[in-house]
Amino acid sequence: MFNYIIKRFKKIVIRILFLMFFLIFLLMSFLYLNYRLNKKYPKPDDVYSYVENNKSDLYLSEKNKEFLKRENIWAIRLDRQGKIIESFNKPKVVKDKFELRDVAGFTRYYLNDYPVFTYIVGDGLLVFAYPKNSLDKLPFNYYNYENFIFNIKLIVFFLLLFLVFVYVIYKIDIKEIFKNILPFQRAIDTLYEDDYQKLDEYGELKELAFSINRANEKYNNLKESQSKWIRGLSHDVRTPLAKISWELSKENKEDIDTQNIKDQVLKISNILEGLNLTLSLSNIDKENFKLESPLKVIRKLIVDKLNENPGREIIFESKLKDQNIKINMDANLFYRMLENILKNALIYTEGKIQVKISDDNSNLLISILDEGGGISENSIEKIKKDDLTNITRHGLGIFISKQIAELHDGTFSIKNKDKGLEVSFIFKFTN
């Protein structure tokens, strides 16, 4: 949400800055083009200086004429009576003698539409004429105070207009922000309610919409998972409790099978232990994991189980190309993950148990295969869906192993084979 507000604020600022730079760009472009156009012709004062420095007996000497021709400028020199005494490229429409009022006119304005510039030389005038439509002459040499105040007001008006435009942009963006945020506020208010309406995952806030929708999905999945847990645990605990109750209900206390009661209490204890473990897995910090050898953990597990079950046959097959493979793990949890599967195989099956480990393309594969009757496909589907309802054998231990594998960023799979049940784990390893 905060990132969205910052993003929208940036848009407002960028629009304002873009508008300012656009106006500045237009002004600079105008000034530059104006400057470039003015550079096409030399300045009148520079023309006069050149002519003054290169005159002979005449102002319009051959060198000066060549210069004026090159710059496309024609010139005349008048005596004190207004008569032309020197000229170069003078158009025919320009007369040869000027009255005082004529001089006053072209000095301030134009001469036959030619922009002309006048300089005093001796007791006469030197006039330079540029091509038509080449330069503009300002018809004044003063500035009106009222016009000055008017122009100041005009600048202030445009400045205020610019600020109004900025404010309109701001109001539109703020309105758009609240319009976009309102559905998220409603969604957050009803995040954990049954009437939650899924947000559309598009537009500028699609990441936030995705996160809120995922949070609602996780909550619903958690509710469903808790419901399944309660149903599954109530079923698993109900059977041993019923057996304990049946033993205790016997009238003859000497007929009570205390060993059966102990076994049932142990079952309940194991169920509660499994429950506590699976609940604690979600709070484990993976930063405490260490790079350790899975081969070492597997060998220790097999030795422990063979010592506990000397009459069983556990075959260990290692096809590791690299004996120094390491996984980022919690060794105790990793041991528990494999122990749950191996213990189920020892308890619920007879015959050989195969434990295989191999590596391929940075993947470590661990599989445990027994020679039992397997489990129903319905139970396998429930384990894959984390549904422990009515699973009385294997379920809780396998589910915990699956959780531990996922905690180690591994992949868990379970399937029935022709001879028994195979549980496999795949992990990324480090050499």
Side-chain angles (χ1 to χ4, degrees):
M1 183 72 72
F2 180 74
N3 290 336
Y4 169 72
I5 293 174
I6 292 297
K7 191 183 296 184
R8 296 296 302 191
F9 178 75
K10 285 182 180 178
K11 277 192 173 183
I12 295 173
V13 173
I14 289 172
R15 286 178 182 175
I16 294 172
L17 292 177
F18 175 78
L19 179 63
M20 292 179 61
F21 282 115
F22 178 71
L23 293 176
I24 293 173
F25 172 76
L26 287 180
L27 177 62
M28 296 302 295
S29 298
F30 173 78
L31 293 176
Y32 176 75
L33 291 174
N34 188 52
Y35 169 78
R36 291 289 296 173
L37 290 174
N38 285 339
K39 289 288 288 184
K40 184 177 180 180
Y41 299 98
K43 296 179 180 179
D45 288 348
D46 293 339
V47 174
Y48 171 73
S49 297
Y50 184 91
V51 171
E52 180 68 26
N53 293 332
N54 293 280
K55 68 181 180 179
S56 56
D57 295 337
L58 300 174
Y59 271 87
L60 300 180
S61 63
E62 291 302 320
K63 186 174 182 180
N64 284 337
K65 287 180 179 180
E66 290 178 3
F67 170 73
L68 293 173
K69 182 179 180 180
R70 188 167 60 249
E71 300 296 340
N72 196 22
I73 297 173
W74 59 267
I76 56 176
R77 186 160 75 93
L78 308 178
D79 61 13
R80 62 188 305 172
Q81 282 77 35
K83 185 179 180 181
I84 295 178
I85 55 177
E86 283 188 76
S87 70
F88 172 71
N89 281 348
K90 179 181 77 67
K92 293 182 180 180
V93 295
V94 177
K95 53 187 180 182
D96 296 326
K97 189 175 186 306
F98 297 91
E99 301 293 334
L100 186 61
R101 63 180 182 180
D102 297 326
V103 174
F106 69 68
T107 301
R108 177 61 57 85
Y109 301 105
Y110 295 82
L111 175 58
N112 294 102
D113 295 329
Y114 289 96
V116 295
F117 300 90
T118 307
Y119 295 88
I120 298 174
V121 287
D123 57 354
L125 298 175
L126 184 60
V127 180
F128 299 111
Y130 285 73
K132 293 180 180 180
N133 302 317
S134 59
L135 300 178
D136 293 326
K137 293 187 67 177
L138 297 177
F140 52 83
N141 56 5
Y142 62 89
Y143 204 90
N144 186 285
Y145 177 75
E146 292 181 355
N147 286 342
F148 176 75
I149 296 299
F150 174 78
N151 289 335
I152 293 294
K153 291 179 179 179
L154 193 63
I155 292 173
V156 172
F157 171 76
F158 276 101
L159 179 60
L160 292 175
L161 191 63
F162 171 76
L163 294 177
V164 168
F165 181 72
V166 170
Y167 179 74
V168 169
I169 292 177
Y170 166 78
K171 291 296 290 184
I172 292 174
D173 280 339
I174 291 297
K175 184 178 179 180
E176 188 71 18
I177 288 173
F178 281 107
K179 179 182 176 182
N180 291 335
I181 288 178
L182 189 59
F184 292 91
Q185 183 177 345
R186 294 198 192 101
I188 292 173
D189 290 339
T190 60
L191 183 61
Y192 303 123
E193 304 295 336
D194 293 333
D195 59 347
Y196 173 82
Q197 293 183 354
K198 188 175 180 180
L199 292 167
D200 294 326
E201 296 176 5
Y202 66 87
E204 294 177 319
L205 288 171
K206 60 182 179 181
E207 294 87 359
L208 181 58
F210 177 82
S211 298
I212 294 176
N213 287 335
R214 294 299 84 77
N216 179 259
E217 287 179 14
K218 286 182 179 180
Y219 171 73
N220 288 331
N221 291 337
L222 178 61
K223 270 202 315 184
E224 185 178 354
S225 177
Q226 286 176 340
S227 177
K228 291 176 180 179
W229 267 101
I230 292 171
R231 291 196 302 269
L233 288 173
S234 65
H235 180 274
D236 288 344
V237 172
R238 190 184 304 120
T239 301
L241 284 177
K243 290 181 179 180
I244 293 173
S245 177
W246 182 77
E247 289 290 343
L248 294 177
S249 66
K250 292 180 179 178
E251 295 182 1
N252 188 354
K253 301 302 180 184
E254 293 180 359
D255 294 335
I256 294 177
D257 188 351
T258 55
Q259 185 60 44
N260 186 23
I261 292 176
K262 289 180 181 179
D263 292 342
Q264 301 310 317
V265 170
L266 181 60
K267 283 184 180 180
I268 296 174
S269 176
N270 289 335
I271 291 172
L272 295 177
E273 181 188 357
L275 175 61
N276 289 331
L277 176 59
T278 193
L279 291 176
S280 65
L281 287 176
S282 60
N283 298 320
I284 290 178
D285 187 0
K286 293 200 289 187
E287 291 183 359
N288 296 324
F289 284 15
K290 298 179 182 178
L291 286 174
E292 298 193 42
S293 170
L295 187 59
K296 181 179 177 182
V297 176
I298 294 172
R299 283 175 174 165
K300 181 179 184 306
L301 171 64
I302 293 174
V303 170
D304 290 344
K305 294 307 166 187
L306 284 175
N307 290 334
E308 294 173 7
N309 303 271
R312 296 299 298 270
E313 184 179 4
I314 302 176
I315 301 173
F316 176 57
E317 182 181 351
S318 175
K319 293 184 179 180
L320 289 179
K321 302 170 186 175
D322 185 355
Q323 299 296 318
N324 297 318
I325 288 175
K326 291 185 178 181
I327 293 177
N328 194 35
M329 67 162 76
D330 180 305
N332 293 327
L333 287 176
F334 202 83
Y335 182 96
R336 179 64 180 272
M337 174 188 74
L338 299 174
E339 182 189 30
N340 287 345
I341 308 302
L342 193 53
K343 184 187 289 186
N344 280 344
L346 289 168
I347 294 173
Y348 298 112
T349 70
E350 298 178 357
K352 293 185 296 184
I353 300 172
Q354 295 181 10
V355 179
K356 299 179 182 180
I357 181 171
S358 60
D359 60 310
D360 182 37
N361 297 327
S362 299
N363 288 325
L364 176 69
L365 173 64
I366 303 172
S367 64
I368 300 175
L369 174 64
D370 60 45
E371 293 184 344
I375 61 177
S376 68
E377 292 299 325
N378 181 51
S379 296
I380 290 177
E381 286 301 315
K382 285 187 176 184
I383 290 172
K384 289 179 179 179
K385 296 178 180 178
D386 299 338
D387 182 359
L388 299 184
T389 308
N390 296 329
I391 296 180
T392 58
R393 299 176 64 201
H394 305 290
L396 186 57
I398 293 177
F399 178 69
I400 292 172
S401 295
K402 179 184 176 185
Q403 279 191 306
I404 295 174
E406 292 172 350
L407 184 64
H408 287 79
D409 299 322
T411 303
F412 168 91
S413 69
I414 179 172
K415 57 185 175 181
N416 286 312
K417 305 285 282 188
D418 292 339
K419 293 184 179 180
L421 180 72
E422 183 181 53
V423 178
S424 302
F425 304 91
I426 299 177
F427 301 95
K428 293 289 184 181
F429 66 80
T430 303
N431 293 325

